[in-house]
Amino acid sequence: MPAFKTVALLGRYNTPHNAESLVQLGDFLVERGCAVLIETRAAENAAVSQFPPASYDEIGAKADLAVVLGGDGSMLAAARHLAEHEVPLVGVNQGRLGFMTDIALGRMLEAMAQILDGGYSLEARTMLRAEVVRAGASSHAAMALNDTVVNKGAIGRLIEFLVHVDGEFVYDLRSDGLIVATPTGSTAYSLSSNGPILQPTVPGFVLVPISPHTLSNRPIAVSDRAKIEITLKHGLDARLHFDGQPECDLQEGDRVVIERAPWAIKFVHPPGYSYYAMLREKLHWSEMY
Amino acid sequence: MPAFKTVALLGRYNTPHNAESLVQLGDFLVERGCAVLIETRAAENAAVSQFPPASYDEIGAKADLAVVLGGDGSMLAAARHLAEHEVPLVGVNQGRLGFMTDIALGRMLEAMAQILDGGYSLEARTMLRAEVVRAGASSHAAMALNDTVVNKGAIGRLIEFLVHVDGEFVYDLRSDGLIVATPTGSTAYSLSSNGPILQPTVPGFVLVPISPHTLSNRPIAVSDRAKIEITLKHGLDARLHFDGQPECDLQEGDRVVIERAPWAIKFVHPPGYSYYAMLREKLHWSEMY
Amino acid sequence: MPAFKTVALLGRYNTPHNAESLVQLGDFLVERGCAVLIETRAAENAAVSQFPPASYDEIGAKADLAVVLGGDGSMLAAARHLAEHEVPLVGVNQGRLGFMTDIALGRMLEAMAQILDGGYSLEARTMLRAEVVRAGASSHAAMALNDTVVNKGAIGRLIEFLVHVDGEFVYDLRSDGLIVATPTGSTAYSLSSNGPILQPTVPGFVLVPISPHTLSNRPIAVSDRAKIEITLKHGLDARLHFDGQPECDLQEGDRVVIERAPWAIKFVHPPGYSYYAMLREKLHWSEMY
Amino acid sequence: MPAFKTVALLGRYNTPHNAESLVQLGDFLVERGCAVLIETRAAENAAVSQFPPASYDEIGAKADLAVVLGGDGSMLAAARHLAEHEVPLVGVNQGRLGFMTDIALGRMLEAMAQILDGGYSLEARTMLRAEVVRAGASSHAAMALNDTVVNKGAIGRLIEFLVHVDGEFVYDLRSDGLIVATPTGSTAYSLSSNGPILQPTVPGFVLVPISPHTLSNRPIAVSDRAKIEITLKHGLDARLHFDGQPECDLQEGDRVVIERAPWAIKFVHPPGYSYYAMLREKLHWSEMY
């Protein structure tokens, strides 16, 4: 009997998807004795009708595992939808890079067979939750697996904001923006803005300004139990992003309150997975000359 | 009754010390009803005989608080000696900078009065312990509050080493050295080598190479529950430092094993202490232009 | 007789301006025997009618010196207008920071007296000129004193571009943008994106990517005799900025060709001016802890 | 008739050398009608007696081209010896990396044939000259192609120094050292200490501190016509290096005066050479993820 009885298939988040690999994987899982669901929109996008379609909530209620065929964007979306339902995720890479999609497409069936046979490891990844407080009332709230970013908008003028952690004043900065990243997000946008890497078991968030008006900033990691508050001091055109997706505009005086989300997402890794090997192979991290 | 009954006085670690402030502080503490000890070497250095001298072990056994009059070097030394005895430390700054010596000399008596009245906060700071394994046997072991550094020695040729974390291969680097820093050490040598800041409640260590032969390294923070191993692959002249003090030479094949020390050191902070204010004021961190 | 016979007054570039300092300076110059012109828009903004208004072209034809009362934005605009007319500029700081406005408002008359008495130094600052080539034809061209930036626009997706220098392929990058800065611009946006400082006598341009998708970029300085070409490979929403002002949208396939402008702008510095002192005082550059 | 009549062979600088490639190259050159000399020490190291041995001075007087079989260290040594004689250099890579040894060993004869047929480009590379002034008198002087480094010595305590450029005060820093690099040296030690790349036609030197006690330093490039002075303010154990070789100890008060050397070294590049390709291939510069 497989380790996971009911498996949901998730496709690309926002681009058309070829049905072939979805069907191939679904057929394989059925053959192995799994019940297979397919996420409604993925089914529509790819015109796959062999497996019962299900909403994220239905998947959350029924599935023991969700397999994402896509890239990191698809994993991020799946995590935001499924974390609260505690359905673990595994990713088959159909995107360009894929820090989170461990399984190469060419090894999909082989790796899934190993996973069904119990050859996998489980890893919890912290998520964050941010809400916007405007005039004393919460106006927006969302979760992110990678990061929340407060940044300048279309007009392109820099913004100024205050940061407090657990009520203590941290700094007042003018910059293009500020990234608050989880360990998972520390290898995403934060990294390209010169942030450090936080290995996923480090319970911290990292604060990385984007092109700040100071020579003396250095990224800081704070505890993931901390409450981080970003108050927009100046900025006629500022925005809030979650995992790279625009969430809402911000006004002067708005306060973005960031805390660890109540749920973590669980990743299922195939046998042989190594975080450090992923850094070396996908980022060319520390490759010597 | 004071919060701390027996208080030990500690002086500068390795430079002559003026007796005046030691005596002034000792007299003040006696007046407040404390028993006062003075660390043997500090008593000798400063020629202070009013208070009974005591070794670090005696201080460890008897004192409820140790007050360091000196700079960060003196705090580091005190921490290495007293951590296992669980005697908390507070620092009065007589050095140049003083990230850890919270109290300015001019406010010494005022701040100590507040502390004795219970107006203080306690903060535990993680320490690390490193041992050198040569030919299968442990040859050196020591503790550090800031950092352990493997670096090139006098001849000045670069070294090459392998890093493993919890048995997993991390990277193979040629560089001038590698810093493994605690959160406390993240504002010391690690920072000047472009490492991130870890707020002291983040349970991690940060790995920062010094002038590495790669463009693609980026510092990584790992859990402070991890076992970090550095194996010297090439390097005719390599050394191991703890908190900036040379500990021993290293030979090719030597393995330096770094783990969290079994004891943390406790810092006593005066009222109004703020970690972020310290970063801003002492490091000019994030000072805008 | 003053070193400069006809002096033009220039005000803030894009914000209302108090007449007081303009009138005070104009009166002082008249008293010293100078003919005084005021830039038309500055005269209107500040409602100053004591001095004959003049367009930039008239100023270019008649003035021996232009005094900018404003911030760096005003200096940048003046330089773009007056460089081809070879009118030297001096700045009186009424902005927040002012890397280019050497004279503090409180010392305006004293410093101008010294300058009129010949106590000044002249410094030429290289400018750059960029044009957009679309479908083989030049579609936009403009000059900049600080920098030209190709970056992502409102939608916020990263862009991908190719860089060639003198016809040689340099790199292919995905990033939020690319800054090409003059030495003057090396202390502006380029600096906040981690670029090096080029002392103004270094005849080079520096290429600094913004949040690139590589760990191994490092800024490169190339000769200011070089032709730099940036070809937009991917990016549905990309823009070209000159000195921080949006110039035009870019389409995939557009080529931005950047070369040294045929004219340099000359800065008049008051006695005692030091470039390095400016870096230390205004940027807190290399301030020790 | 070959473009170069008399060709000198130079071997590894400081390690034993296999005779095979030296002899193979010498025979090939003789066959092509060149007169061949071999540097005395290279002849001894490799026990090659087919070609007349010659000192660097004799090579300087007679040779039209010098071919270095070795790594960058061998090129650096050859440049320091031959620059004043204006003998151009070409490198065949027998080292690990080789930024300056353009020709791979396997293509040695093919590339040399092209070069002898005139298929090459010539490039001048700026060198620097530094002298130590102690108590008013010059005590040491030497040339470097890559860099001069003032750094801490064996004891490992940091040093403090003042920097002046053309007599103007630049900064006062405590650090592990300071690198002053040519454009050629900008891809060597300077790069691993986070310096920018200067393309070789940029007539500048770059100043890069090593682990400085400031958060707000940023490398600065100054004109290569400038006179750079480094005055050792504090440091019981400081050293001066040229191209990575220790030159002399420094005492407090010593002044190191650095200027462009009176001679440049000329590099002969084989057809198809590209500086940017070298950066991408050998440094993995700007390699995307």
Side-chain angles (χ1 to χ4, degrees):
Chain A
M1 195 168 95
F4 303 102
K5 291 183 194 167
T6 301
V7 180
L9 303 183
L10 279 60
R12 288 244 183 95
Y13 177 55
N14 55 7
T15 51
H17 198 107
N18 192 308
E20 189 179 354
S21 48
L22 281 169
V23 171
Q24 186 185 23
L25 178 60
D27 287 347
F28 173 84
L29 290 166
V30 167
E31 193 176 300
R32 286 291 181 121
C34 300
V36 172
L37 303 172
I38 182 164
E39 191 269 325
T40 308
R41 201 165 50 165
E44 285 168 9
N45 273 346
V48 169
S49 55
Q50 288 91 324
F51 315 108
S55 68
Y56 278 116
D57 279 352
E58 289 168 311
I59 290 169
K62 295 179 183 167
D64 303 306
L65 175 68
V67 187
V68 178
L69 287 88
D72 283 347
S74 315
M75 288 292 278
L76 292 166
R80 290 193 302 267
H81 282 110
L82 296 176
E84 67 178 295
H85 301 290
E86 304 197 338
V87 179
L89 296 183
V90 63
V92 176
N93 189 29
Q94 299 202 322
R96 193 174 48 74
L97 190 60
F99 294 116
M100 287 178 261
T101 48
D102 296 342
I103 301 173
L105 187 57
R107 292 194 63 252
M108 177 175 72
L109 297 189
E110 177 190 353
M112 286 307 304
Q114 291 175 308
I115 287 170
L116 292 182
D117 289 344
Y120 64 87
S121 56
L122 265 182
E123 184 192 32
R125 294 285 182 102
T126 302
M127 300 182 69
L128 57 78
R129 184 184 174 281
E131 69 175 15
V132 179
V133 178
R134 178 173 297 171
S138 173
S139 69
H140 277 269
M143 302 220 308
L145 174 53
N146 268 346
D147 48 41
T148 295
V149 182
V150 174
N151 57 7
K152 65 175 186 182
I155 300 171
R157 294 290 166 78
L158 48 78
I159 60 176
E160 181 171 352
F161 49 83
L162 306 175
V163 174
H164 291 79
V165 171
D166 287 334
E168 278 191 77
F169 172 60
V170 176
Y171 52 59
D172 176 348
L173 267 191
R174 272 187 301 277
S175 74
D176 281 1
L178 178 69
I179 304 165
V180 178
T182 65
T184 301
S186 73
T187 55
Y189 193 35
S190 173
L191 192 68
S192 67
S193 298
N194 218 22
I197 298 172
L198 300 192
Q199 203 273 349
T201 60
V202 175
F205 295 133
V206 66
L207 279 67
V208 180
I210 305 168
S211 301
H213 270 216
T214 171
L215 292 178
S216 62
N217 187 272
R218 204 60 70 74
I220 188 168
V222 301
S223 169
D224 69 4
R225 309 294 162 116
K227 179 201 262 190
I228 301 165
E229 289 171 285
I230 306 169
T231 307
L232 190 65
K233 190 171 164 184
H234 294 300
L236 296 178
D237 180 28
R239 294 187 182 194
L240 185 64
H241 288 77
F242 288 80
D243 290 345
Q245 306 299 313
E247 177 70 21
C248 64
D249 288 344
L250 294 175
Q251 299 177 4
E252 292 187 358
D254 281 358
R255 203 154 42 86
V256 182
V257 182
I258 301 163
E259 292 180 280
R260 199 170 61 150
W263 308 282
I265 185 76
K266 287 204 187 69
F267 282 173
V268 167
H269 296 300
Y273 169 80
S274 158
Y275 178 75
Y276 303 105
M278 181 280 287
L279 294 181
R280 292 191 308 271
E281 287 158 21
K282 297 197 172 172
L283 287 172
H284 310 293
W285 182 56
S286 299
E287 191 172 48
M288 273 198 288
Y289 54 73
Chain B
M1 195 169 92
F4 303 102
K5 291 183 194 167
T6 301
V7 180
L9 303 183
L10 278 60
R12 287 243 183 96
Y13 176 56
N14 55 8
T15 51
H17 198 107
N18 193 307
E20 190 179 355
S21 48
L22 282 169
V23 171
Q24 188 185 22
L25 178 59
D27 287 347
F28 173 84
L29 291 166
V30 168
E31 194 175 298
R32 288 290 181 123
C34 300
V36 172
L37 303 172
I38 183 165
E39 191 270 324
T40 309
R41 201 165 52 165
E44 285 168 9
N45 273 346
V48 169
S49 55
Q50 288 89 325
F51 315 109
S55 68
Y56 277 117
D57 279 353
E58 289 168 312
I59 290 169
K62 295 178 183 167
D64 302 307
L65 175 68
V67 187
V68 177
L69 285 89
D72 283 347
S74 315
M75 289 291 280
L76 292 167
R80 290 193 302 268
H81 282 109
L82 295 177
E84 68 178 294
H85 300 291
E86 305 197 338
V87 179
L89 294 184
V90 63
V92 176
N93 189 29
Q94 298 204 321
R96 192 174 49 73
L97 188 62
F99 294 117
M100 286 179 261
T101 49
D102 296 342
I103 301 173
L105 187 56
R107 293 194 61 251
M108 177 175 71
L109 298 189
E110 178 189 352
M112 285 307 304
Q114 291 175 308
I115 287 170
L116 292 182
D117 289 345
Y120 64 88
S121 57
L122 265 181
E123 183 192 33
R125 294 286 182 102
T126 302
M127 300 182 70
L128 57 78
R129 185 184 173 281
E131 69 176 14
V132 179
V133 178
R134 179 173 297 170
S138 172
S139 71
H140 277 269
M143 303 219 308
L145 172 54
N146 268 346
D147 48 39
T148 295
V149 182
V150 174
N151 58 6
K152 65 175 187 183
I155 300 172
R157 295 288 168 77
L158 50 79
I159 59 176
E160 182 171 352
F161 50 83
L162 307 174
V163 175
H164 290 79
V165 170
D166 287 334
E168 278 192 76
F169 172 60
V170 176
Y171 51 59
D172 177 347
L173 268 191
R174 273 186 301 277
S175 75
D176 281 1
L178 178 69
I179 303 165
V180 178
T182 64
T184 300
S186 73
T187 55
Y189 193 34
S190 173
L191 192 68
S192 67
S193 297
N194 219 21
I197 298 172
L198 300 193
Q199 202 274 347
T201 60
V202 175
F205 295 133
V206 65
L207 280 67
V208 180
I210 306 168
S211 300
H213 270 216
T214 172
L215 293 179
S216 62
N217 186 272
R218 203 60 69 76
I220 187 168
V222 301
S223 170
D224 69 4
R225 309 295 162 115
K227 179 201 261 189
I228 302 164
E229 291 171 283
I230 307 168
T231 307
L232 190 65
K233 190 170 165 187
H234 294 300
L236 296 178
D237 179 30
R239 295 188 181 192
L240 185 64
H241 288 78
F242 287 79
D243 288 345
Q245 307 299 313
E247 175 71 20
C248 64
D249 288 345
L250 294 174
Q251 299 177 5
E252 292 186 358
D254 282 358
R255 203 154 41 87
V256 181
V257 182
I258 300 163
E259 292 180 282
R260 199 170 60 148
W263 308 283
I265 185 75
K266 286 205 186 68
F267 283 173
V268 167
H269 296 299
Y273 169 79
S274 158
Y275 178 75
Y276 302 106
M278 182 278 289
L279 294 181
R280 293 191 309 270
E281 288 158 20
K282 298 196 173 174
L283 288 172
H284 309 294
W285 181 57
S286 298
E287 191 172 48
M288 273 197 288
Y289 52 74
Chain C
M1 197 169 94
F4 303 102
K5 291 184 197 168
T6 302
V7 179
L9 304 183
L10 278 61
R12 288 243 184 96
Y13 177 56
N14 55 7
T15 51
H17 197 106
N18 193 307
E20 190 180 354
S21 47
L22 281 169
V23 170
Q24 187 185 22
L25 178 59
D27 287 346
F28 173 82
L29 291 167
V30 167
E31 194 177 299
R32 288 289 182 124
C34 300
V36 172
L37 304 172
I38 183 164
E39 192 269 325
T40 308
R41 201 165 50 165
E44 284 167 11
N45 273 346
V48 169
S49 54
Q50 289 90 325
F51 316 108
S55 69
Y56 278 116
D57 279 351
E58 290 169 309
I59 290 169
K62 296 180 182 166
D64 303 306
L65 175 67
V67 187
V68 177
L69 286 89
D72 283 348
S74 314
M75 289 292 278
L76 292 166
R80 291 193 303 267
H81 282 110
L82 295 177
E84 67 179 296
H85 301 291
E86 305 197 339
V87 179
L89 294 185
V90 63
V92 176
N93 189 29
Q94 298 203 322
R96 194 174 47 74
L97 188 60
F99 294 118
M100 288 179 260
T101 48
D102 297 342
I103 300 173
L105 188 57
R107 292 194 63 251
M108 177 175 72
L109 298 189
E110 177 189 352
M112 285 308 303
Q114 291 175 307
I115 287 170
L116 292 182
D117 290 344
Y120 63 88
S121 57
L122 266 181
E123 184 191 33
R125 294 286 183 100
T126 302
M127 300 182 70
L128 58 77
R129 185 184 173 280
E131 67 175 17
V132 179
V133 178
R134 178 174 298 170
S138 172
S139 70
H140 277 269
M143 303 220 307
L145 173 54
N146 267 347
D147 48 40
T148 296
V149 182
V150 174
N151 58 7
K152 65 174 188 184
I155 299 170
R157 293 290 166 79
L158 48 80
I159 59 177
E160 181 171 353
F161 50 84
L162 306 175
V163 175
H164 290 79
V165 171
D166 288 332
E168 278 191 76
F169 172 60
V170 176
Y171 51 60
D172 177 347
L173 268 190
R174 272 188 300 278
S175 75
D176 280 1
L178 178 69
I179 303 165
V180 178
T182 65
T184 300
S186 73
T187 54
Y189 193 35
S190 174
L191 192 69
S192 66
S193 297
N194 219 21
I197 298 172
L198 299 192
Q199 202 274 345
T201 61
V202 175
F205 295 133
V206 65
L207 279 68
V208 180
I210 306 168
S211 301
H213 270 216
T214 171
L215 292 179
S216 63
N217 186 274
R218 202 61 69 77
I220 187 168
V222 301
S223 170
D224 69 5
R225 309 293 162 117
K227 180 200 259 187
I228 301 165
E229 291 172 283
I230 307 168
T231 307
L232 190 65
K233 190 171 164 186
H234 294 301
L236 295 178
D237 180 28
R239 294 188 182 193
L240 185 64
H241 288 77
F242 288 79
D243 289 344
Q245 306 299 314
E247 176 69 22
C248 64
D249 287 345
L250 294 174
Q251 299 177 3
E252 292 187 359
D254 282 357
R255 203 155 41 88
V256 181
V257 182
I258 300 163
E259 292 180 281
R260 199 170 60 148
W263 307 284
I265 186 75
K266 286 203 187 69
F267 282 173
V268 167
H269 295 300
Y273 169 80
S274 158
Y275 178 75
Y276 303 106
M278 181 279 288
L279 294 181
R280 292 191 309 270
E281 287 158 21
K282 297 196 172 172
L283 287 172
H284 309 294
W285 182 57
S286 298
E287 190 171 50
M288 273 197 287
Y289 53 72
Chain D
M1 196 169 91
F4 303 102
K5 291 183 195 168
T6 301
V7 179
L9 304 182
L10 278 61
R12 288 244 182 95
Y13 177 55
N14 55 7
T15 51
H17 198 108
N18 193 306
E20 190 179 354
S21 46
L22 281 169
V23 171
Q24 186 185 22
L25 178 59
D27 287 347
F28 172 83
L29 291 166
V30 167
E31 194 176 298
R32 288 291 181 122
C34 300
V36 172
L37 302 172
I38 183 165
E39 192 269 324
T40 309
R41 201 165 51 165
E44 285 167 9
N45 273 347
V48 168
S49 55
Q50 287 91 326
F51 315 109
S55 69
Y56 277 116
D57 279 351
E58 289 170 310
I59 290 169
K62 296 179 182 166
D64 302 308
L65 175 67
V67 187
V68 178
L69 286 89
D72 283 346
S74 315
M75 288 292 279
L76 292 167
R80 290 193 302 267
H81 282 109
L82 295 177
E84 66 178 295
H85 301 290
E86 304 198 338
V87 179
L89 294 184
V90 62
V92 176
N93 189 29
Q94 299 203 322
R96 193 174 47 74
L97 188 61
F99 294 116
M100 288 178 260
T101 49
D102 297 341
I103 302 173
L105 188 57
R107 292 196 62 252
M108 177 174 71
L109 297 189
E110 177 190 351
M112 284 308 303
Q114 292 175 307
I115 287 170
L116 292 182
D117 290 344
Y120 64 88
S121 56
L122 265 181
E123 184 191 33
R125 294 284 182 103
T126 301
M127 300 181 69
L128 58 79
R129 184 184 173 280
E131 68 175 15
V132 179
V133 179
R134 178 173 298 171
S138 172
S139 71
H140 276 268
M143 302 218 310
L145 173 53
N146 267 347
D147 49 39
T148 295
V149 182
V150 174
N151 59 6
K152 65 174 188 183
I155 300 171
R157 293 290 167 78
L158 49 79
I159 59 176
E160 181 171 352
F161 49 84
L162 306 175
V163 175
H164 290 79
V165 171
D166 287 334
E168 278 191 76
F169 172 61
V170 176
Y171 51 60
D172 176 348
L173 268 192
R174 273 186 300 277
S175 74
D176 281 2
L178 178 69
I179 303 165
V180 178
T182 65
T184 301
S186 73
T187 55
Y189 192 35
S190 173
L191 191 69
S192 67
S193 298
N194 219 21
I197 297 172
L198 300 192
Q199 202 275 346
T201 61
V202 175
F205 295 133
V206 65
L207 279 67
V208 179
I210 306 168
S211 301
H213 270 215
T214 171
L215 291 179
S216 63
N217 186 273
R218 202 60 69 76
I220 186 168
V222 301
S223 170
D224 68 5
R225 309 293 162 117
K227 179 200 260 188
I228 301 165
E229 290 172 284
I230 307 169
T231 306
L232 190 65
K233 190 171 165 185
H234 293 300
L236 297 177
D237 179 29
R239 295 186 181 193
L240 184 65
H241 288 77
F242 288 79
D243 289 345
Q245 306 298 313
E247 177 69 22
C248 63
D249 287 345
L250 294 174
Q251 299 177 4
E252 292 187 359
D254 282 357
R255 203 154 42 87
V256 181
V257 182
I258 300 163
E259 292 180 280
R260 199 170 59 148
W263 307 284
I265 185 75
K266 286 203 185 69
F267 283 173
V268 167
H269 295 300
Y273 169 80
S274 158
Y275 178 76
Y276 303 106
M278 181 278 289
L279 294 181
R280 294 191 308 269
E281 287 158 21
K282 297 195 172 174
L283 288 172
H284 310 294
W285 182 55
S286 299
E287 191 171 50
M288 272 197 289
Y289 52 73

